[in-house]
Every structure is written in C-alpha cells, then in structure tokens.
Amino acid sequence: MNLNKPLNALLASVLGVGVLLSGAVNAQNYPDKPVTLVVPFAAGGPTDSIARLIAVPMGKSLGQTVVVENAPGAGGTVASNKVAKAKPDGYMIYIHHMGMATAQALYDKLPYDPMKDFEYIGQVADVPMVLLGRKNLPPNNFKELEAYIKTNKEKVTMANAGPGAVSQLCGLIFQSKLGVRVTTVPYKGTGPALTDLLGGQVDILCDQTTQTIPYIKDNRVKVYGVTTPKRLSALPNVPTLDEQGLKGFDVKVWHGVYAPKGTPKPVLDKINAALKKALADPDVKARLDSSNIDIVPVAKQNGPALQAHLDAEINRWGPIIRKANIPD
Ligand code: MLT
C-alpha cells in the first residue's frame, strides 16, 4: 500500500486550487499591462492599417494600450509561429488574414498548426483586391496587359509579400488563369511593395484596397481589374477580372483575431468584447468604408465563427492552390 497516496492527493488538490485561483485572478485583473497585437506583415500595409485602426478603440475598452508589433517574414508564417509559441496569457494577440488558411497548402511543413495552436477571437473585415501596374507600364487596360505579359514574360516583374500572403495567392491565380509565369519579387508586405510600384521599380502587384484607392483615383498607378465577382462601389468603372475573361476570379481577403492556445476563456471574452466594440466604432467603420472594406456582421465577430470559417477556408483553398501549382 502506498501511504503517500492521500498526501499526494491532498497536495495535488491544493496545487490545483492554487492554479485555478491564480488563473481566475489573472483573468479578473486582465489586462494590467499593455497588450501586444502582432501583425504578420510590414508596417504601412493593409494588415498593419487594420490592426492600428482597431488597436486604439480596443485599448480604450480594455483600459490598457494595445501595441501593434510587426513581425514580417515568410508570408506571415514567422508571426503565426511566434504567436503559436507565445505565453497564453492574453498579452500577445494576433491579427492575420486568410493566409492563416492558405499557408497550409503553400508550405510542405509548417512549424505550427492553424487549427490546433490558437484560440479564435473573431472575424474582422473583408477586403477586396485590385490588380495594379506601375504608372508608366505600357498596357492601358487588361487586354493590353494580357498581350504585354505574354510577349514580355521574362522581363515582367510581379511584387508580392511571400508564400502565404494574399498578394502571392492573387498573383498565383492570375498567372495560372493566364497560363504564364512572370518574375516574382517578394517583399515583407505590400506596404513596401506598393512603394516600389509607385517608384516604378516593379511592374505589377495584386494589392488590397486598404491603401490603394487614392493612388488609383490620382492616376499614380494603373488598375487592370478587381478580384471580386462584383465591381466595387469606390471604383465603379474598374471591371472585375472575371468579366474580363479570368472566369471565376474571386479573392476577397478575410481577417481574424487569434490568441495562443490555452489563453483563459474569461480573457478571450474580454478581448472579444473589445474587438466587437472597436468594430462598432463609427470612426473605424467610416475609415474602412472609404476603402471599400466590409466589417463582418456581428454574428461572425466571435471565436466559433472564426474557427469554422478557417476550417472551411483551409478546405476551400488547398485544392485551388495545388491546381494553380507552385508557391513563389
Ligand atoms: C500586408 O499587410 O502587407 C498584406 O496583407 C500582405 C499580403 O498578404 O499580400
């Protein structure tokens, strides 16, 4: 007979209560210091802009500053891995777009599992994309672009933010539907990629509407089409890629907020409440509206909806990416 058994059981139960109590106290006082919101791409780009836009009202709701930290690299997978391995205490949270779903099909092996290593806080917003060219690129419309690329494919350069980035996904589908390969130039985000497009250093870029609409309206870049099945209210004269012959072109960039797996539920609930409040903020809505970005309905601003959407998107994009072939 093991005489230590009752003592062990007592110790275990005392320790267990201790852990529970400390968890409860942490959750109750949460947050008692600034919260870091990790962004998987460079500052000044679309994901960064949405993060900074919601960080301020979220911080107000939480009673602590929400500090945006850019951790770019490998199409967003560096940041995903960083957050997956972070302490699950609510002080590091994460915003990422649909790259959270597509990376699985673009990398042979990821060092994290998008369906197992995170807690899901809520969906955020859906962002359309546009296919852009540098201002002095010769083609003036999509048909001319198609012909230009087919005769100049060795020298045409297409910027993207690496495998896992939506600019890469969009470029991949574009090239696959066109049946050509161009030279890809990877950046740490479409913020710096757009700067180089404006400077004339790269030829074409698929980018989100978050920053691009004013440059299109000012004719500082050329626009060849939108990636959604319907035209955009902000750019009513720009045809969709689908209507210009790239049948079935349908890319709209969804976003979600995550935390490391094991973050206590009461903490997740506080972050979710702050996210919902931020998305209901009229200033946030006005800024996003001006870029043709749709805040998701309240029914999607929660963890189970994000988790289900991520699962569906992993299943949706896997076959499309494998068919389009090759990460760049
Ligand atoms: C960014 O924030 O730079 C973009 O979302 C990158 C991308 O996915 O194309």
Side-chain angles (χ1 to χ4, degrees):
M1 189 181 146
N2 181 357
L3 290 177
N4 284 334
K5 216 173 166 189
L7 185 60
N8 286 343
L10 180 68
L11 269 174
S13 83
V14 168
L15 285 173
V17 169
V19 168
L20 273 178
L21 279 178
S22 70
V25 168
N26 282 343
Q28 209 172 34
N29 292 346
Y30 174 85
D32 58 11
K33 60 181 183 184
V35 173
T36 298
L37 175 59
V38 175
V39 169
F41 297 103
T47 320
D48 180 70
S49 301
I50 293 182
R52 287 177 199 275
L53 194 62
I54 61 171
V56 177
M58 281 184 76
K60 270 192 198 138
S61 300
L62 290 168
Q64 287 286 342
T65 311
V66 174
V67 182
V68 172
E69 181 188 310
N70 300 88
T77 56
V78 167
S80 298
N81 190 41
K82 175 185 169 105
V83 177
K85 311 276 186 306
K87 204 168 160 195
D89 57 4
Y91 289 98
M92 181 174 285
I93 57 174
Y94 188 36
I95 182 165
H96 195 359
H97 58 41
M98 57 198 269
M100 195 72 164
T102 57
Q104 195 123 328
L106 291 162
Y107 288 84
D108 287 341
K109 196 165 162 37
L110 288 173
Y112 61 89
D113 185 333
M115 290 307 297
K116 291 198 180 128
D117 295 342
F118 297 89
E119 301 290 348
Y120 307 90
I121 293 168
Q123 288 187 60
V124 181
D126 296 333
V127 190
M129 299 188 84
V130 273
L131 178 63
L132 303 173
R134 65 179 157 80
K135 190 186 161 142
N136 51 1
L137 195 69
N140 287 315
N141 56 48
F142 180 77
K143 278 287 154 243
E144 290 179 19
L145 177 72
E146 189 174 352
Y148 181 82
I149 290 180
K150 284 185 173 160
T151 40
N152 296 284
K153 51 181 179 286
E154 297 81 25
K155 68 172 202 199
V156 173
T157 52
M158 182 163 208
N160 73 27
V166 284
S167 44
Q168 187 250 3
L169 177 73
C170 180
L172 196 62
I173 298 171
F174 171 66
Q175 293 172 75
S176 151
K177 285 192 183 289
L178 224 55
V180 291
R181 304 285 298 155
V182 297
T183 303
T184 298
V185 185
Y187 289 80
K188 286 191 184 295
T190 53
L194 182 62
T195 304
D196 270 11
L197 189 83
L198 288 162
Q201 280 93 15
V202 283
D203 294 331
I204 51 176
L205 165 69
C206 246
D207 199 4
Q208 294 162 70
T209 51
T210 324
Q211 263 83 29
T212 47
I213 289 175
Y215 295 117
I216 294 170
K217 289 191 168 161
D218 288 352
N219 294 318
R220 292 185 58 196
V221 289
K222 284 185 174 168
V223 61
Y224 297 112
V226 302
T227 65
T228 46
K230 276 193 183 159
R231 292 190 184 198
L232 306 180
S233 55
L235 301 168
N237 298 325
V238 180
T240 67
L241 291 172
D242 176 274
E243 72 187 89
Q244 298 185 95
L246 301 189
K247 287 289 160 222
F249 211 112
D250 181 6
V251 182
K252 200 166 196 188
V253 189
W254 59 270
H255 294 72
V257 173
Y258 304 82
K261 186 82 187 170
T263 306
K265 172 89 169 56
V267 169
L268 296 174
D269 289 345
K270 283 189 180 178
I271 301 167
N272 177 260
L275 174 66
K276 278 190 170 139
K277 227 168 152 195
L279 296 177
D281 183 314
D283 292 341
V284 169
K285 187 170 165 19
R287 164 67 183 92
L288 294 177
D289 270 353
S290 72
S291 298
N292 233 143
I293 297 173
D294 298 325
I295 292 173
V296 297
V298 176
K300 291 184 174 186
Q301 297 169 10
N302 62 69
L306 173 58
Q307 189 173 9
H309 189 62
L310 176 64
D311 191 28
E313 285 283 287
I314 289 173
N315 292 321
R316 174 188 173 205
W317 286 106
I320 298 175
I321 290 168
R322 280 187 285 276
K323 198 169 155 220
N325 208 357
I326 31 46
D328 254 328

